Amino acid sequence: MTQVEVIEVPESSRYEAREGGRLLGVLTYHRKPGSIVFDHTGVEPEARGRGIGALLCAAALAGAAEDDVYVVPQCSFVRRWVQDHPEYLPLIERA
């Protein structure tokens, strides 16, 4: 079985989860000064239930921490994921 790889594709404003070159899911974003807005997470139906969304969230939030920007979780999946992983709460922008 091949490894799931998550990479940022800045020119498409998204993170992609791929396995053996096959796209399994994406987390899209747009940047604002000092913050990044995560607006959608989508996983292909045949890849659901494998933790692909969690891998995308972890990579995207780690990227935000590296870039030292706040996160605006417009995507409900990202909001729920952060609630389950409170170590990422300091990254969330307080409106």
Side-chain angles (χ1 to χ4, degrees):
M1 184 166 201
T2 58
Q3 184 80 11
V4 175
E5 177 185 35
V6 177
I7 58 164
E8 183 179 10
V9 184
E11 59 275 12
S12 298
S13 297
R14 68 190 203 171
Y15 284 83
E16 295 181 351
R18 293 185 171 272
E19 183 176 51
R22 191 170 60 105
L23 183 65
L24 301 179
V26 298
L27 189 155
T28 61
Y29 63 82
H30 61 274
R31 292 184 179 272
K32 294 179 168 181
S35 66
I36 185 168
V37 179
F38 294 137
D39 42 28
H40 177 72
T41 305
V43 175
E44 292 297 321
E46 69 274 7
R48 291 185 184 150
R50 294 180 50 197
I52 304 300
L55 291 173
L56 288 162
C57 284
L61 285 155
E66 243 177 64
D67 293 346
D68 196 27
V69 294
Y70 284 106
V71 170
V72 180
Q74 284 184 347
C75 170
S76 60
F77 184 89
V78 174
R79 276 196 305 273
R80 282 192 310 273
W81 195 85
V82 170
Q83 287 173 352
D84 291 342
H85 299 85
E87 65 271 23
Y88 292 102
L89 283 173
L91 292 174
I92 303 301
E93 184 172 65
R94 304 288 181 234

